[in-house]
Every structure is written in C-alpha cells, then in structure tokens.
Amino acid sequence: MKYFSSESVANAYKGFQGSITNKSWGVLAIMHQLDSMIVPGRTYAVNCSSLSTYIEQLFCLGSKKSYIDNGKEWYVKFSTQWNDFFDKQGQTIPNIYDIIIWAYRSTPLPDDITNEKLLAMFSEDFHLSVTDIKNAFYTQEKEIKYSDYFESDSVVLSKISGKLGTTLSKNITADGKSVTASPGELSRGPFIQPLYAALDTADYILVSQTNFDELYPMGGSRNITITSLNDNNKSVNAYLTAIRTKPFILLAGISGTGKSRIVRKLAQATDDIDVFANEEDRWKCPRPANFELIQVKPNWHNSMDVVGFQSIIPEPHYEFTPFVDFVVKAWCYENTPFFLCLDEMNLAPVEEYFAEFLSAIESRSIGEDGEFETDPIIKPFNSFGSELAGEMMQHFEDLGYEIPLNVENRFRKKGLTLPKNLIVMGTVNMDETTFSFSRKVLDRAMSIEMNEVDYDGFIEGKTEYNVPKLTEQNELFVNRPISAQEVKDGVESQEVMNFLKGVNDILEGTPFKLGYRAANEAILYVAADKVVGAGNLNAALDDFTLMKILSRIEGDDSKLVTKDGKKLLDELNIYLSSVFGTEGTSKSLAKLNSMITTLKRDHFVSFWG
C-alpha cells in the first residue's frame, strides 16, 4: 500500500485555492454522504453527525460534536443545473486531481493505483458519474508523487504553512508534530451554513432541515399542467401522462396523421443536449440528439435485427444495430428523456422481433442500492470473453460516446439493460399488410389512437401539435414511479379499484379480463394525470379505458359475449355510461359506440380498425 506524499498534498491544497470555496467543499461533503448517484429533483436525507465528522476530518476541525443530536437529518435536492455550481464558485475551474488528493490524503492506496483508478474511486464515493465529473471539473492529469508511509496532517499542514506561504485556517496551527484546532460547528461553520442561507446557491442545490416532499406532495406544487395555448392547437397531455405511466406507447391510426412527428416533437421539447442559438432552432432540428427513428422491416421475424448478435464471420465480433446504439447513448445521458420511434411497428410480428424488450420492460425495479434495474437485452459483455467485450466497448467509443465508468462496468457485468430514460413509441397502421397485436404486447403498452383529421385547420396551418419546451420538467419523464405502491396514497385508489371491478364483472369468462398489471397501471395513470394533466379522476379513467381496456377487445359475434350470454360491448356501454355520462363527454364511449356499429355491420370488430 502507499499514500500521497506530503508534497503532493500540499501542492494540491495550493492548487484548489482560488478555484473552489468553502461552500464548494460543503457540497462535496454532502455528495459524499448520499446513498446513490445524483438524480436532479430527488430528495436525499443526509445524516448530520456523519456529515459533521467527515468535514472535521477533511479540514482538521476537531472532533467535538456534542452540539448535534445523533440521527438528525438534513434534506438535500440537486437541481438540473447542479453541475454548473463548481464552475461559478472560484476564479477558475478546480482540477479534479487536486480535489482527489486532498480528499484521500490519509487513505491507503493500492500499489497499482493510476489516475484512472483514482477517478473511478472518486466517482463511486462522491456519487458522481465520470461524465458529471468532466462537466464540473478540470480533468487534465497532474504528476502525483507517492510515499510508502502515511505522512500525518501535522506534517502536511506545516508544509502548507512553511513552504507555500498559506495556512489552512486561522484557527488551525501545526508544528510538524501536532495539530491544534478549534472544534467545528456544523450549523454555523463556513462549509455548510451558506448553502441554506444564501440565495445564490438555490439554482443549484437546496439544503433544508425539513423534508418538503412531505409538506408539498406530488400533485400539489409539482403539478405542471400543460394544455393547449389556444383552441386551434392540440393538447399533448395524453402523451405526457401515458409516458409518465409507462415508457412504451403504441400510436395507432390512419397513415398521415402525424404519429411519427409527435415523437420527434416530444424529443425536441426535452432535448437539453444540443445547443440551440434560439428556441426557433429547437423546433427546426430534424434529428435532436435524444431521438432515433427505426423503420421496421417485414422480414423481422427474430430479435437479431433489434439487439444484434455475435458473429464469427470473418472473425469473432458483435453485430450491433441502431436500436442498441441508441440505448447505449441513452445511458450516457441518464437525465434526458430519449425517444425511440419504431415506424410501422406492426409490419412484422412485434412479439417475435421485440421479445427481449417486452420481457425487460416488465422486469423494471429499483434495486437495494436505489438504482433502476431491468433484465438485460444483451447478456453481460464479459460473458463474450474479455477481448470481444473490449471490442464491444470500443465500438461505442468509435461512435463518439463518452460512457461513464460505472455504466461500462454495468455493461460488462450485468449486460445491456434498459435505461430509465428510454421511451419507445411505435407507430401503427392497420391494413392488409400488417400484423395484429397479441395481448402480450397490448398488456405491456399504452395505446393512443390518432385518427382525427382536420382539413380546415390544415389549410390554416393550425393542425400542428402544440408541444411546449419541457427541458425543465425532464425529471418527470425520466424518474417515473414503477409500482402503484409508490403513489397509491396520493390518488383515489379505492375508486380506481371499484371501477376496474365493475369492468371485470362484465369481462369475466372472456380472454379480455384485466389482471394485476392493469390495476397497477390504472393507479399509475391516475397519479400521472395529477402531476402532468388536469387531475380529474373520471377524465383519467376515461383515457385509461380507451388506452388499456378497449384496445384489448377484438373478435366476432360469437366471441364478444359475456358469461351470461349477453352482448359484451352493449354491457360495457351500459356500465361506462353510468360512470362517464353521455357519449359527448367521453372519448371511450365514443370509441365503444363506433365499435358496436362496426360489429353490427361486419360481424367482427377490433379497436385497431
């Protein structure tokens, strides 16, 4: 084992003077106490005793902590602009290696330590991805000297004072043998106090003694109702609510109604990667960085065209696809929604070419470490052999991706899993050239019908979807709840269950009966509508009925009957009318009556037309 030499530590201290303030060290100390990588908007509880101890050790402030109650917590939120904080705290941007050397000056290091390993260690301990580190700090490597033994803080501080002509603090003295320091006090000390007292940090980080999430629950102050700006524009609430419910959307309708265009518009609205000279350029950008369009081919009858495959011709390599490349790119920008448009999705059987995705999306969970997890769509890269795994990572580097070290480790050990910010939206046209959807697919997706055609509005140029800029709300579409248990207390859960029970009483004995997945998504949808939409229970249930209940129904006269032999669609019509009122105020009733008419005429009907 070895340590940083006292000379390197002293030089590091001199190096960050003028480039980082006490306030900055307070933020870093807080980051050190977090339980996971930083997610903007999430509330982190920080133990004050642990924080106090760490700061005292970091800057030799003493060990007297009787002024703070053990177990007391602060609550911390990072904004979407938090990594700009370090750029604005000093005269220059701090060098990350100065920070690392000072933070780990008493830590024993392995003999094979390298700058790369130091960066990885800092990334893990301070909950910063390598990409975040590069955005926040200057990362040019420095010459670092090591010692075979630990040179105490008293020696280091003496060198700082004697050789560099500066001192750590006017309250700290060192003579090379011992350190004398006044005990620190966290609540009014220079490292923390300005964080919750000064308004100039509010754009980056909030520190409070109160958990505001409990006082201002989601659906109250966080409601970001996004509606049409005028009667001639179309609302996008249904799309945003569906996305917040589940990141797999089917857009159905006749050709030419703007299905793929709405996906592109949503990507433009949430694109915080590209730099635009003005907001008009945002809406003119044909290929935003967070958008990909993949055209499904009729000959896709297995998953190789989606997730790729290992080949030995002409030599061992992995054959990548645009889908895989885009998923990996999304992992590089975890706080930005990434929109994948699968165009003409049902030109081939979805359950055949999209099998891995359909399985992975149902495996979504939050692990014990707080990280979003799914089953892999490509097995662990290391299982292909170390050489091929390295070539696979090189493929993404050749594409210009800057893959954080923790993400590379995930690919190598866990495989390519779905990132939480990936949203797949498939366009669907129903004609004689396409395949119908199995209930396996429909159960895993939210369905939105787009058959409205307004020719008068088209002539006047008013048929464009009014999608506002959404970059400040990106967190709502990246960090989505997965389980109804997370949101059930904030919605009318029992009313939702009573509604589904009424539907299932009619569907009993048919293949269309709803299961637990539908119940989970119904509560998630109602909760999402409170955050994104109008927060009207009946309107949300009306939309959910259209997306998840009616979309399952298809068949002829003999199939669409209840267990009592009654006409299934007529019974649903009676029940939904009792809940939603007349057809004029209900989208699901309008669709249901259209389906009833079609069944009478053709003796067969499908939601999909």
Side-chain angles (χ1 to χ4, degrees):
M1 305 299 286
K2 56 185 178 181
Y3 299 82
F4 295 122
S5 71
S6 57
E7 181 181 353
S8 286
V9 175
N11 285 327
Y13 178 80
K14 183 177 182 180
F16 61 69
Q17 294 307 293
S19 66
I20 188 168
T21 65
N22 285 349
K23 202 181 298 182
S24 302
W25 279 107
V27 173
L28 284 168
I30 286 173
M31 291 176 176
H32 190 266
Q33 305 302 308
L34 303 183
D35 58 7
S36 67
M37 289 289 182
I38 291 174
V39 175
R42 173 183 167 182
T43 298
Y44 295 87
V46 175
N47 181 276
C48 291
S49 291
S50 298
L51 180 61
S52 175
T53 298
Y54 182 73
I55 290 178
E56 288 174 344
Q57 291 173 346
L58 196 63
F59 281 89
C60 309
L61 296 179
S63 58
K64 196 173 180 180
K65 300 193 298 298
S66 58
Y67 49 82
I68 199 163
D69 294 329
N70 188 30
K72 184 178 179 181
E73 291 183 329
W74 278 349
Y75 298 92
V76 182
K77 277 181 180 286
F78 293 85
S79 84
T80 55
Q81 301 173 4
W82 68 266
N83 54 10
D84 293 337
F85 175 82
F86 297 99
D87 294 354
K88 297 178 172 61
Q89 288 305 296
Q91 298 172 350
T92 59
I93 301 174
N95 186 293
I96 189 60
Y97 291 101
D98 288 335
I99 306 298
I100 290 174
I101 291 170
W102 185 258
Y104 292 100
R105 66 183 186 274
S106 61
T107 302
L109 305 168
D111 291 333
D112 63 347
I113 192 70
T114 63
N115 284 6
E116 183 180 8
K117 291 180 179 179
L118 287 173
L119 206 62
M121 183 169 63
F122 183 86
S123 170
E124 182 175 354
D125 291 347
F126 285 80
H127 305 99
L128 289 164
S129 71
V130 174
T131 298
D132 286 335
I133 290 172
K134 290 179 179 179
N135 288 337
F137 299 98
Y138 189 45
T139 55
Q140 182 173 349
E141 296 188 6
K142 303 186 72 171
E143 181 181 358
I144 301 173
K145 295 181 179 180
Y146 296 90
S147 173
D148 292 331
Y149 59 92
F150 173 59
E151 297 179 280
S152 66
D153 277 334
S154 62
V155 173
V156 171
L157 298 183
S158 294
K159 289 190 176 184
I160 290 175
S161 177
K163 293 187 176 182
L164 301 180
T166 184
T167 59
L168 192 66
S169 167
K170 64 182 180 181
N171 296 321
I172 299 174
T173 59
D175 58 8
K177 297 180 181 179
S178 63
V179 177
T180 304
S182 302
E185 185 173 341
L186 189 62
S187 62
R188 61 182 177 86
F191 297 93
I192 294 296
Q193 191 271 344
L195 292 177
Y196 61 88
L199 289 176
D200 65 340
T201 63
D203 288 341
Y204 309 106
I205 181 173
L206 296 178
V207 181
S208 171
Q209 297 181 39
T210 303
N211 185 352
F212 286 110
D213 285 352
E214 295 178 355
L215 297 180
Y216 303 95
M218 192 175 295
S221 62
R222 295 188 67 186
N223 192 301
I224 59 159
T225 302
I226 304 169
T227 55
S228 305
L229 297 182
N230 60 65
D231 293 338
N232 294 315
N233 286 332
K234 300 178 181 180
S235 170
V236 296
N237 281 1
Y239 303 97
L240 301 178
T241 307
I243 289 169
R244 177 132 175 103
T245 303
K246 199 166 192 179
F248 182 30
I249 319 292
L250 302 180
L251 303 176
I254 60 176
S255 181
T257 52
K259 294 186 293 295
S260 59
R261 182 158 181 78
I262 186 62
V263 186
R264 193 186 307 268
K265 294 280 284 186
L266 290 168
Q268 291 168 334
T270 55
D271 180 8
D272 57 7
I273 301 171
D274 291 312
V275 178
F276 301 106
N278 54 64
E279 283 308 305
E280 289 185 5
D281 289 347
R282 171 183 297 277
W283 307 109
K284 295 177 182 177
C285 179
R287 301 288 293 189
N290 59 333
F291 173 78
E292 182 64 62
L293 185 143
I294 296 176
Q295 296 174 327
V296 174
K297 303 297 190 299
N299 62 344
W300 285 11
H301 288 280
N302 60 60
S303 60
M304 291 192 299
D305 294 294
V306 175
V307 299
F309 56 93
Q310 182 180 4
S311 174
I312 60 172
I313 302 174
E315 56 187 22
H317 69 282
Y318 195 90
E319 196 70 38
F320 288 100
T321 66
F323 176 80
V324 171
D325 291 343
F326 188 70
V327 171
V328 171
K329 185 179 181 182
W331 270 110
C332 299
Y333 300 92
E334 294 183 66
N335 296 320
T336 302
F338 268 60
F339 290 86
L340 173 71
C341 180
L342 279 177
D343 201 26
E344 303 283 2
M345 188 176 187
N346 58 329
L347 277 178
V350 178
E351 58 272 19
E352 293 182 8
Y353 71 80
F354 222 33
E356 284 83 357
F357 175 87
L358 295 176
S359 296
I361 197 170
E362 289 307 299
S363 68
R364 293 170 299 147
S365 65
I366 301 298
E368 294 181 358
D369 57 359
E371 293 293 310
F372 178 85
E373 300 289 351
T374 74
D375 289 343
I377 59 174
I378 297 179
K379 67 181 182 178
F381 289 8
N382 285 346
S383 67
F384 292 99
S386 59
E387 183 176 352
L388 184 51
E391 292 176 1
M392 293 169 77
M393 295 308 308
Q394 185 61 48
H395 166 80
F396 302 120
E397 290 186 21
D398 292 342
L399 292 176
Y401 297 171
E402 293 185 12
I403 300 179
L405 186 61
N406 64 307
V407 174
E408 178 177 345
N409 289 336
R410 166 184 286 274
F411 292 168
R412 288 179 177 272
K413 297 176 182 179
K414 295 184 178 181
L416 181 57
T417 59
L418 300 181
K420 62 184 178 180
N421 58 330
L422 177 68
I423 298 159
V424 175
M425 302 181 75
T427 69
V428 178
N429 293 317
M430 283 295 179
D431 57 35
E432 66 280 358
T433 68
T434 61
F435 291 83
S436 61
F437 289 112
S438 67
R439 275 186 290 278
K440 174 182 179 180
V441 175
L442 296 177
D443 281 350
R444 287 159 170 76
M446 306 296 291
S447 303
I448 298 178
E449 193 174 39
M450 298 176 64
N451 275 328
E452 181 182 344
V453 178
D454 178 10
Y455 283 138
D456 292 332
F458 174 77
I459 292 296
E460 297 176 11
K462 297 179 180 178
T463 56
E464 184 72 17
Y465 279 88
N466 173 46
V467 183
K469 179 183 175 183
L470 295 170
T471 52
E472 293 184 2
Q473 286 83 34
N474 277 354
E475 184 258 341
L476 293 177
F477 309 111
V478 170
N479 296 304
R480 304 173 300 270
I482 299 172
S483 168
Q485 302 302 315
E486 300 174 57
V487 297
K488 65 177 183 179
D489 295 334
V491 300
E492 303 90 334
S493 300
Q494 192 55 55
E495 288 88 338
V496 175
M497 292 301 100
N498 290 341
F499 171 75
L500 295 182
K501 288 177 184 177
V503 172
N504 256 0
D505 285 344
I506 298 170
L507 300 180
E508 185 68 45
T510 75
F512 314 118
K513 185 176 179 181
L514 306 173
Y516 293 120
R517 183 183 290 116
N520 184 68
E521 290 169 358
I523 291 179
L524 288 176
Y525 190 88
V526 170
D529 186 62
K530 284 185 177 291
V531 176
V532 177
N536 181 295
L537 176 62
N538 263 20
L541 289 177
D542 186 32
D543 286 339
F544 182 81
T545 301
L546 195 64
M547 293 181 181
K548 295 293 295 185
I549 298 175
L550 297 185
S551 63
R552 300 162 52 84
I553 296 176
E554 122 177 325
D556 57 19
D557 294 304
S558 63
K559 189 175 182 180
L560 299 181
V561 294
T562 69
K563 63 179 181 179
D564 301 325
K566 299 178 180 179
K567 295 181 179 180
L568 179 67
L569 298 187
D570 288 346
E571 292 301 300
L572 276 176
N573 192 28
I574 294 170
Y575 177 68
L576 295 182
S577 295
S578 70
V579 176
F580 301 136
T582 63
E583 177 183 331
T585 59
S586 168
K587 290 178 282 187
S588 63
L589 273 172
K591 177 66 176 179
L592 180 57
N593 280 310
S594 173
M595 292 173 69
I596 290 172
T597 300
T598 300
L599 182 63
K600 288 179 180 179
R601 183 189 67 220
D602 301 334
H603 304 288
F604 181 92
V605 71
S606 168
F607 171 88
W608 302 91

